[in-house]
Amino acid sequence: MKLLAFDTSTDQLSIAIQHGDRLWEHAGAGGAQSSATLIPAIQQGMQAMGLAFEQLDAIAFGRGPGSFTGLRTACAIAQGLGLGSGLPLLPLDTLLAVAEEGRARHGCTELLAVLDARMHEVYYAGYRYVVDAGQGHWLETQALGLCAPEQLPLPAGLPVVGNAQPAYPEQLAPGATHLAALPTAAALLRLAPYAMQSGALVAAADALPRYIRDKVAQTTAEREAAKLAATQTAA
């Protein structure tokens, strides 16, 4: 398989390129800063791996939830690369990538993935790793949600895996086991084969970020419409 994957949903930019058994990885500043560095880093990696974009099987990216600027950056660049090279895209949940990174780093097979959502809130989702017919994959056991750290719905005995505990050390499940993990591009690559077999590939034009906090993720047009409505109401 020849795959490009990247995630810009957190403060860390992560890129990985797979070419058979070879793997190229890059990490840098994420979020808003990734808009200036993502494309040059991808080009560097593709050159290092001796690949043209047209040779890839697909482009995977972390679709969210996460940094709104980061998610828009990842989706826009994935769409541009996909449209320019005729490749399908593989949008993958960032919390699922956190679960996979937790399995790779800490051996977790059941967990609650949690990411800092800022504004005194966290994103969360529960997962269990299963093996069917010799192939491992994740099952969602708790739907993706958003809450205050002190209200995290944590089933007894499950570890909390992610990046939120340092931000909320006293409020976030103080009695639980906390393990650090981020949604890395290498995790996206490991998730890609099962996701592709399950029909998760989409055309570039159909790829979208996954927002949870809709009011913060309003488009400029939506914000302007809201302002106009408020002005008319006041008049």
Side-chain angles (χ1 to χ4, degrees):
M1 251 190 188
K2 295 181 285 293
L3 297 169
L4 163 65
F6 48 87
D7 184 275
T8 61
S9 64
T10 69
D11 289 337
Q12 178 173 300
L13 162 68
S14 179
I15 307 170
I17 302 172
Q18 176 185 344
H19 185 186
D21 295 332
R22 297 171 60 206
L23 178 66
W24 180 90
E25 292 185 82
H26 170 83
Q33 298 182 59
S34 60
S35 60
T37 59
L38 181 54
I39 290 179
I42 289 173
Q43 291 173 328
Q44 177 187 353
M46 293 292 286
Q47 183 176 6
M49 294 293 276
L51 285 172
F53 288 105
E54 292 77 10
Q55 295 177 281
L56 295 172
D57 295 302
I59 299 171
F61 70 96
R63 67 173 180 172
S67 159
F68 298 106
T69 301
L71 298 186
R72 290 189 178 109
T73 296
C75 187
I77 290 178
Q79 285 181 320
L81 294 175
L83 289 170
S85 55
L87 291 172
L89 302 186
L90 186 63
L92 293 169
D93 286 353
T94 49
L95 286 168
L96 181 60
V98 168
E100 173 58 26
E101 191 66 11
R103 185 183 72 88
R105 292 185 60 181
H106 307 293
C108 299
T109 55
E110 188 167 9
L111 54 86
L112 193 70
V114 181
L115 287 173
D116 183 10
R118 308 294 174 89
M119 299 171 64
H120 198 76
E121 289 182 313
V122 296
Y123 302 114
Y124 66 88
Y127 299 97
R128 180 187 301 119
Y129 191 76
V130 299
V131 179
D132 294 326
Q135 184 173 24
H137 63 93
W138 289 96
L139 295 177
E140 186 179 83
T141 58
Q142 195 164 344
L144 193 154
L146 174 72
C147 70
E150 58 268 22
Q151 297 174 343
L152 184 71
L154 177 66
L158 282 192
V160 176
V161 180
N163 72 345
Q165 199 272 339
Y168 311 106
E170 298 180 2
Q171 300 97 333
L172 185 70
T177 298
H178 291 270
L179 301 170
L182 288 174
T184 67
L188 296 177
L189 290 180
R190 294 192 297 270
L191 294 168
Y194 182 80
M196 292 168 70
Q197 293 173 22
S198 302
L201 287 172
V202 299
D206 296 327
L208 294 171
R210 185 172 190 182
Y211 298 123
I212 302 301
R213 193 187 282 136
D214 292 331
K215 290 182 180 179
V216 179
Q218 284 181 320
T219 64
T220 301
E222 289 169 337
R223 289 195 294 270
E224 291 301 320
K227 289 179 184 177
L228 178 60
T231 301
Q232 293 174 339
T233 300

